[in-house]
Amino acid sequence: MAVDIQPACLGLYCGKTLLFKNGSTEIYGECGVCPRGQRTNAQKYCQPCTESPELYDWLYLGFMAMLPLVLHWFFIEWYSGKKSSSALFQHITALFECTMAAIITLLVSDPVGVLYIHSCRVLMLSDWYTMLYNPSPDYVTTVHCTHEAVYPLYTIVFIYYAFCLVLMMLLRPLLVKKIACGLGKSDRFKSIYAALYFFPILTVLQAVGGGLL
């Protein structure tokens, strides 16, 4: 296989993107950021993410998916208490919202339309924070090579949270309005208001601490 010879890329995450392939000949572009769904290999070439997530990857995704559901249930119980018989229905609705959000997230992720995902193998902690490893060859100009080296473990959680929030806003207010008659008007929607606070907090947690978790 013939590959064009170019100087090696600087930095941990800068790579060369495949521009043209004809038989055994591959032509790569200059060093830069890899496209979404790819990461650099040991030779500094951008390669598609075609592996399946490991057990620990699935455990991490399951943990991040369970957080909003557990918080939903907590605040539903906190604000319903013994004053309302609607808590059970709200619990079921929250479970339905999170389950549907997870299914939709898997369906829209690569490969589209199936309930599994392709991913890049996590090799080290810095894979989660590529924005901190943009090289500066002359200490003046920065070469921006930030990309999702742990694709899709970083962004898929944000997508899931977005679908959770959309489904909650579509379903929960109608349910609460119909069945939470035992609560005052100001108390009916407090569990929903709580979600509007904890979803941004979960988003920041994923953005900052995803790799550490």
Side-chain angles (χ1 to χ4, degrees), residues 45 59 64 73 104 116 151 153 172 175-176 188 191 212:
Y45 295 115
L59 290 176
M64 298 305 290
W73 285 347
I104 295 172
Y116 65 88
Y151 175 87
L153 302 181
R172 196 86 62 83
L175 176 73
V176 171
R188 290 185 187 181
S191 63
L212 297 174

Side-chain angles (χ1 to χ4, degrees), residues 90 93 97 164-180 188-189 191-193 196:
Q90 293 186 63
T93 304
E97 293 164 5
C164 282
L165 188 59
V166 170
L167 289 172
M168 182 195 72
M169 296 305 297
L170 290 176
L171 301 178
R172 196 86 62 83
L174 297 176
L175 176 73
V176 171
K177 187 175 181 180
K178 285 186 175 295
I179 68 175
R188 290 185 187 181
F189 301 101
S191 63
I192 299 176
Y193 296 152
L196 298 180

Side-chain angles (χ1 to χ4, degrees), residues 110-126:
D110 182 48
V112 178
V114 293
L115 293 176
Y116 65 88
I117 56 176
H118 289 159
S119 70
C120 286
R121 188 64 50 85
V122 180
L123 302 178
M124 46 190 173
L125 179 62
S126 60

Side-chain angles (χ1 to χ4, degrees), residues 6-134:
Q6 296 182 8
C9 293
L10 298 173
L12 286 175
Y13 299 103
C14 294
K16 302 172 185 177
T17 305
L18 180 63
L19 298 178
F20 176 77
K21 182 176 182 179
N22 184 13
S24 61
T25 302
E26 296 180 350
I27 298 177
Y28 288 84
E30 296 181 354
C31 292
V33 61
C34 290
R36 176 173 165 79
Q38 300 184 20
R39 72 163 294 168
T40 54
N41 59 14
Q43 291 74 38
K44 298 296 184 180
Y45 295 115
C46 297
Q47 297 293 324
C49 301
T50 57
E51 299 182 19
S52 297
E54 295 181 327
L55 174 62
Y56 286 109
D57 298 331
W58 285 116
L59 290 176
Y60 166 74
L61 292 177
F63 173 75
M64 298 305 290
M66 286 294 294
L67 280 179
L69 178 59
V70 171
L71 289 172
H72 276 313
W73 285 347
F74 172 80
F75 284 110
I76 288 170
E77 281 296 321
W78 182 269
Y79 290 116
S80 296
K82 299 179 180 179
K83 297 183 296 182
S84 173
S85 61
S86 67
L88 176 62
F89 294 99
Q90 293 186 63
H91 285 314
I92 296 173
T93 304
L95 177 62
F96 175 77
E97 293 164 5
C98 293
T99 302
M100 288 302 301
I103 293 174
I104 295 172
T105 301
L106 290 176
L107 290 176
V108 300
S109 299
D110 182 48
V112 178
V114 293
L115 293 176
Y116 65 88
I117 56 176
H118 289 159
S119 70
C120 286
R121 188 64 50 85
V122 180
L123 302 178
M124 46 190 173
L125 179 62
S126 60
D127 291 347
W128 291 84
Y129 306 103
T130 58
M131 73 289 294
L132 304 177
Y133 294 88
N134 292 321

